[in-house]
């Protein structure tokens, strides 16, 4: 049997991953992964000048992962095959990055006031290679001994409902999807099983309604192959939603680096035929192999 071809959901040090792009490529070679997408939060990796590049015998797709708003809910949209020179894409990325900066400044100020955090915002942004995120803040809380673990940091200080949490201002999904298409890319709903509707007992029906609305806004695909663990959601359910709404399928490890995720790069993949459909939906003329 031919092994599935690519991992369409991978993070690097450009956001909250712990591995560089070079380290990602080296690991991809080790696990016989010929193609993968870099989908860092709210940014495109600075190494990209085109939608696809060849590096260390790998085809690497330019992508991103952006939080967006739809009908009062927060979702994340994967962007694949992006032209990084697109002005509309750059405008949207600048907006979401500024929203994240404002949020981070508010959270850090609250942590210094209520948790005794010593690090300043300026110190923190100089310690990361890319976008400062809550995982970075969790690591700093643990480093300073304010909490004993990463999980405790989120439970006490970084999750919704606690005094030091600040919600992220969201760009609406229509704007995000429009920017993806303007950049010649493909828009996919990331890990749909994590969506939390108002009535949990109707998760499947509510998720189907959400996906239909996103399709009306131009959504191209949903992430089907993904490791949900014991959450109760599964790839077959995601596949059923994709088939019902005639959407393409993406899939990936969502790996943030060695020993940071349940899955590693290449553990979760998109089949060759699915990957071909995604490529054909994009506007890029650069062959991935």
């Amino acid at each position: 049997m031919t092994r599935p071809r690519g991992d369409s959901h991978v993070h690097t040090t450009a956001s909250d991953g712990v591995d560089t792009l070079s380290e990602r490529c080296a690991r991809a070679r080790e696990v016989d992964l010929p193609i993968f997408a870099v989908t860092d939060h709210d940014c495109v990796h600075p190494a990209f000048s085109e939608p696809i590049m060849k590096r260390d015998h790998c085809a690497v797709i330019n992508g991103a992962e952006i939080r967006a708003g739809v009908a009062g809910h927060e979702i994340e949209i994967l962007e694949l095959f992006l032209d990084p020179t697109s002005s509309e894409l750059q405008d949207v990325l600048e907006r979401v990055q500024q929203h994240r900066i404002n949020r981070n400044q508010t959270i850090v100020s609250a942590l210094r006031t209520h948790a005794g955090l010593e690090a300043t915002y300026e110190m923190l942004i100089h310690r990361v290679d890319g976008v400062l995120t809550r995982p970075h803040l969790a690591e700093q809380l643990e480093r300073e001994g304010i909490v004993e673990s990463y999980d405790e940091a989120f439970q006490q200080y970084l999750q919704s409902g606690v005094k030091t949490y600040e919600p992220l201002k969201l760009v609406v999904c229509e704007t995000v999807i429009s920017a993806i298409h303007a950049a010649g890319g493909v828009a996919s709903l990331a890990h749909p099983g994590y969506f939390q509707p108002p009535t949990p007992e109707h998760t499947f029906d509510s998720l189907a309604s959400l996906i239909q609305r996103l399709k009306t806004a131009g959504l191209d695909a949903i992430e089907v192959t993904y490791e949900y663990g014991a959450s109760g959601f599964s790839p077959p359910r995601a596949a059923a939603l994709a088939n019902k709404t005639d959407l393409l399928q993406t899939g990936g490890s969502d790996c943030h680096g060695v020993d940071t995720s349940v899955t590693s790069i290449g553990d979760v993949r998109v089949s060759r035929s699915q990957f071909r459909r995604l490529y054909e939906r994009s506007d890029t003329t650069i062959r991935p192999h």
Side-chain angles (χ1 to χ4, degrees):
M1 184 189 305
T2 301
R3 193 175 188 191
R5 182 170 178 76
D7 186 337
S8 62
H9 192 166
V10 173
H11 295 274
T12 74
T13 51
S15 62
D16 58 347
V18 300
D19 292 341
T20 65
L21 179 56
S22 293
E23 290 169 332
R24 286 299 192 201
C25 290
R27 181 57 181 161
R29 291 198 310 275
E30 291 174 4
V31 298
D32 191 25
L33 180 70
I35 185 167
F36 67 93
V38 172
T39 54
D40 282 310
H41 296 286
D42 302 341
C43 67
V44 296
H45 196 287
F48 285 95
S49 59
E50 295 182 301
I52 303 174
M53 70 173 173
K54 304 294 178 62
R55 183 158 176 164
D56 298 335
H57 306 289
C58 294
V60 188
I61 297 169
N62 184 28
E65 184 175 15
I66 292 183
R67 290 190 180 181
V70 53
H73 296 288
E74 180 180 301
I75 60 170
E76 290 189 286
I77 299 177
L78 292 174
E79 313 176 358
L80 304 172
F81 301 103
L82 297 174
D83 176 359
T85 66
S86 165
S87 59
E88 187 170 338
L89 174 66
Q90 291 172 354
D91 287 345
V92 167
L93 289 175
E94 287 174 4
R95 287 175 59 186
V96 297
Q97 288 166 7
Q98 188 59 55
H99 292 335
R100 189 176 287 275
I101 289 170
N102 295 342
R103 178 206 204 188
N104 286 338
Q105 290 174 333
T106 301
I107 291 177
V108 170
S109 177
L111 289 172
R112 286 172 58 81
T113 300
H114 300 290
L117 184 76
E118 294 183 1
T120 64
Y121 175 77
E122 289 71 21
M123 291 168 59
L124 289 165
I125 61 174
H126 283 100
R127 289 178 181 172
V128 300
D129 292 331
V131 178
L132 180 66
T133 63
R134 283 185 297 160
H136 293 122
L137 301 180
E139 291 169 358
Q140 184 64 30
L141 287 166
E142 186 177 4
R143 186 179 298 116
E144 293 189 17
I146 296 171
V147 297
E148 293 184 358
S149 69
Y150 179 93
D151 289 341
E152 183 185 347
F154 268 86
Q155 291 169 2
Q156 290 195 19
Y157 298 109
L158 298 172
Q159 68 179 358
S160 179
V162 301
K163 183 182 296 186
T164 49
Y165 176 80
E166 176 71 16
L168 181 65
K169 185 178 179 181
L170 303 172
V171 177
V172 297
C173 65
E174 290 85 356
T175 300
V176 173
I177 293 173
S178 174
I180 296 169
H181 290 160
V186 175
S188 176
L189 175 63
H191 33 67
Y194 287 160
F195 171 67
Q196 296 293 326
T199 52
E201 66 270 20
H202 299 303
T203 298
F204 193 59
D205 289 342
S206 298
L207 179 56
S209 299
L210 170 75
I211 290 173
Q212 188 58 56
R213 172 160 179 167
L214 289 169
K215 183 180 179 182
T216 301
L219 189 74
D220 301 295
I222 65 174
E223 191 168 40
V224 169
T225 47
Y226 190 87
E227 178 55 60
Y228 286 106
S231 68
F233 199 81
S234 65
R237 293 181 70 180
L241 283 167
N243 293 332
K244 181 179 179 180
T245 50
D246 194 28
L247 289 168
L248 301 177
Q249 300 183 22
T250 64
S253 61
D254 197 5
C255 181
H256 286 65
V258 177
D259 298 328
T260 64
S261 309
V262 175
T263 52
S264 297
I265 183 172
D267 284 354
V268 183
R269 305 188 183 199
V270 178
S271 72
R272 288 176 177 268
S273 61
Q274 290 165 348
F275 208 96
R276 186 182 310 112
R277 294 187 189 103
L278 293 167
Y279 170 78
E280 291 172 349
R281 179 65 61 88
S282 76
D283 289 345
T284 185
T285 57
I286 303 172
R287 298 296 298 177
H289 57 77

